[in-house]
Amino acid sequence: MDPVPLDRLVALAREMLAYSYAPYSRFNVGAALETDTGEVFTGCNVENASYGLTICAEQNAVAAAVSRGRRRFRRLVVVTRGQRAVAPCGRCRQVLAEFGTDLAVYGVANGEKVHWQLRDLIPDHFGREFLDADPADGDGAARARSGSR
Ligand code: THU
């Protein structure tokens, strides 16, 4: 499938600002994550009275995609209000890097649009190669294919 026009990804991410639940910081964030097949999964930040439990917009977009069996991504757009474009926080960079650092990341605000590559945002990240684990372990799709529960 062809890549989605960048403007369309920005519009989808911006739509998520309306769903953003940020009563504590009042900092609304929307994210749109495009898969290698041109599907788009979106997310917004979801805060909590126990502040540390807050989930970022990017993380919710990743969870939405992975929950539908999608794990290969090519572009991520993060939209915020205000003038300055936002790059994913450190935790989100790590969550995204789990699925590959060959990802174009766009931060879009009212006064600024910035483009990065995830590999530059999180060089030398901790990944599965440091673990003595078979990538197929714990893979629900692989288990389903082999007929095991
Ligand atoms: N936030 C995101 O959703 N993504 C980021 O990359 C940066 C921070 C959210 C978390 C919190 O709800 C608010 O922005 C302020 O930190």
Side-chain angles (χ1 to χ4, degrees):
M1 215 187 288
D2 286 340
V4 179
L6 186 59
D7 284 354
R8 174 84 184 127
L9 285 180
V10 171
L12 290 168
R14 186 167 283 129
E15 273 178 23
M16 296 308 289
L17 293 176
Y19 300 107
S20 160
Y21 178 72
Y24 307 106
S25 73
R26 301 188 181 277
F27 192 76
N28 301 126
V29 185
L33 183 63
E34 181 197 35
T35 70
D36 64 337
T37 55
E39 290 169 277
V40 182
F41 293 87
T42 56
C44 63
N45 53 333
V46 180
E47 297 190 344
N48 192 278
S50 179
Y51 299 163
L53 300 184
T54 290
I55 309 172
C56 288
E58 299 91 320
Q59 217 181 315
N60 276 327
V62 170
V66 174
S67 299
R68 303 302 296 170
R70 309 295 186 264
R71 299 176 189 171
R72 287 197 295 266
F73 309 119
R74 58 186 175 204
R75 285 182 298 172
L76 169 75
V77 172
V78 181
V79 171
T80 49
R81 306 186 199 275
Q83 293 302 301
R84 290 205 60 193
V86 162
C89 78
R91 178 175 163 159
C92 287
R93 294 177 196 196
Q94 176 69 22
V95 168
L96 289 160
E98 177 69 20
F99 300 100
T101 54
D102 185 18
L103 179 77
V105 179
Y106 297 83
V108 180
N110 293 327
E112 197 176 34
K113 184 193 286 181
V114 185
H115 172 217
W116 303 271
Q117 289 295 327
L118 184 60
R119 75 177 75 81
D120 300 322
L121 292 177
I122 184 163
D124 303 324
H125 80 281
F126 181 78
R128 64 161 58 140
E129 62 276 18
F130 293 98
L131 300 171
D132 186 20
D134 181 337
D137 286 350
D139 183 329
R143 288 170 74 91
R145 280 194 298 276
S146 73
S148 64
R149 291 164 177 270

